[in-house]
Amino acid sequence: MENQEINNKILEIWQEYPEERGENIPLLYPNFNKEAKLLFIGCNPSLREKVKENFKFNLNKVNDFIEDEKSIQQNEKDIYFSKFIRFAKELGLSWNHIDLFYYRETKQGEFKKKILKNPKNKIKDLDDFNGFGKAQISLSLNLINEINPKIILVANAFSSDLMKTLFLKNNKLSEEKGHHFIKMNNHN
């Protein structure tokens, strides 16, 4: 799946759910590194001041959104991405990053109200998401398969719980190795 294709699908979700998204601009992806073996997964993009001040959802500014995201991800001084940059350099691996959701919100409680039918309930499966949340998480799960990383590092507790619930249903933690193994696209 090329990034233009994924970004178009994200924009389709934004068009389909105008009430839920409000004026919020979605996360749109710059090109992925097709050779990357490492994938970092977050929950949702924070609503950074620069984004809050300069952008409201506007289809005419899509390229601006993508360029802004690219510069943030490549910034070695960025409070969030700098950890990924250092970690990948230490391993000598190229990397990609995705969020499971594209809605920008810094407060996780407010964010959950946008994507879940009942934010107070424990998530058991995709039916616990409202349409806006389900459309985003479904697209992200497909995107993970398309990227087909060798290593996935989940960098958020809520995202980690979701991945265990939705992706690792029948997989147990290897006590000996200290991590999960999952099979994707017929690869371990």
Side-chain angles (χ1 to χ4, degrees), residues 37 65 86 108 130 149-150 164:
K37 304 289 186 229
F65 303 152
R86 282 193 313 271
Q108 195 121 97
N130 61 26
K150 296 286 184 204
K164 284 187 257 182

Side-chain angles (χ1 to χ4, degrees), residues 53-66:
E53 291 170 10
N54 297 326
F55 296 121
K56 287 191 174 176
F57 183 66
N58 180 338
L59 284 173
N60 296 324
K61 292 189 173 187
V62 166
N63 289 332
D64 293 342
F65 303 152
I66 294 168

Side-chain angles (χ1 to χ4, degrees), residues 67-82:
E67 283 304 311
D68 187 52
E69 190 61 33
K70 181 178 178 181
S71 68
I72 291 169
Q73 286 186 15
Q74 294 175 346
N75 183 352
E76 292 188 19
K77 294 182 180 178
D78 183 81
I79 194 164
Y80 182 71
F81 286 102
S82 62

Side-chain angles (χ1 to χ4, degrees), residues 109-137:
E110 293 300 312
F111 165 70
K112 288 179 180 179
K113 290 177 188 175
K114 291 285 187 182
I115 62 161
L116 297 171
K117 290 178 181 173
N118 187 341
K120 294 179 183 174
N121 290 352
K122 182 169 174 54
I123 298 168
K124 295 180 187 115
D125 57 37
L126 285 175
D127 290 333
D128 293 320
F129 292 92
N130 61 26
F132 186 54
K134 190 184 290 188
Q136 293 175 71
I137 190 74

Side-chain angles (χ1 to χ4, degrees), residues 82-146:
S82 62
K83 298 174 277 194
F84 303 149
I85 293 168
R86 282 193 313 271
F87 188 79
K89 276 184 183 178
E90 286 289 321
L91 293 176
L93 295 174
S94 53
W95 60 280
N96 288 308
H97 173 275
I98 67 165
D99 282 311
L100 294 178
F101 301 93
Y102 317 115
Y103 186 84
R104 296 177 186 274
E105 175 59 62
T106 304
K107 297 176 184 165
Q108 195 121 97
E110 293 300 312
F111 165 70
K112 288 179 180 179
K113 290 177 188 175
K114 291 285 187 182
I115 62 161
L116 297 171
K117 290 178 181 173
N118 187 341
K120 294 179 183 174
N121 290 352
K122 182 169 174 54
I123 298 168
K124 295 180 187 115
D125 57 37
L126 285 175
D127 290 333
D128 293 320
F129 292 92
N130 61 26
F132 186 54
K134 190 184 290 188
Q136 293 175 71
I137 190 74
S138 296
L139 182 55
S140 291
L141 293 175
N142 287 332
L143 181 57
I144 293 166
N145 278 314
E146 288 290 327

